[in-house]
Amino acid sequence: METPGDFEQAGAGEWSDGPLVLGVPWEFDERLIRAAAGLATIMGVHLICAFVDPASYLTEWEPAGVLDGTSLDPAPNVEAEYPASQLLSGLEGILGPPGGAWSFRVLNGEVAHALGRLAQSADAAALIVGGQRPGRIAQMGRLLEGSVSVSLTRLQGRPVLVVPHSGQ
């Protein structure tokens, strides 16, 4: 009979003890939020829930290393605050009020790049995103915009956990 391996030193120095970054889509699956919160609890780390606002993009045409955080649209977009506040309300219904265990951030830009920048700046242990939604409308969206989970696995050097969509 084999004895279990000693995993004490496995991956020593390779895994950050930073927070988990959860990419939260506008219409999220509650299972995604609960899975991320459960993993954060097990790991004893903070959960950063991040929504990438599709109505605003970073001006990313500057040379590498110089990112301007201004919007392409110079007029303030009051309507852009509505989706984020509705999303925060939905998250609070599942996780309770933000605080020590979790926080909420609204990002701008292309989804995978924005999540990647947040993960890098927070020295995140891992990124968590939802899997591909079923259906023709979702398939058309992936065709036009690409898959966030696929983009993240190509862009990131840190682990990316993809939680399958429940299909409900």
Side-chain angles (χ1 to χ4, degrees), residues 111-137:
V111 177
H113 285 98
L115 291 173
R117 281 191 298 271
L118 175 59
Q120 181 178 2
S121 69
D123 191 27
L127 282 137
I128 304 170
V129 293
Q132 297 180 352
R133 292 181 177 271
R136 289 194 172 152
I137 294 174

Side-chain angles (χ1 to χ4, degrees), residues 35-115:
L39 183 58
T41 300
I42 290 168
M43 292 176 65
V45 298
H46 186 79
L47 177 65
I48 302 172
C49 298
F51 170 66
V52 182
D53 183 355
S56 181
Y57 288 88
L58 289 177
T59 53
E60 298 188 47
W61 296 295
E62 298 295 326
V66 180
L67 291 179
D68 183 8
T70 60
S71 173
L72 289 173
D73 183 4
N77 186 357
V78 178
E79 292 177 354
E81 295 173 13
Y82 174 74
S85 64
Q86 290 296 101
L87 191 62
L88 176 57
S89 178
L91 289 170
E92 286 177 331
I94 299 169
L95 302 173
W102 74 281
S103 59
F104 180 67
R105 305 231 183 126
V106 178
L107 309 174
N108 299 307
E110 191 274 327
V111 177
H113 285 98
L115 291 173

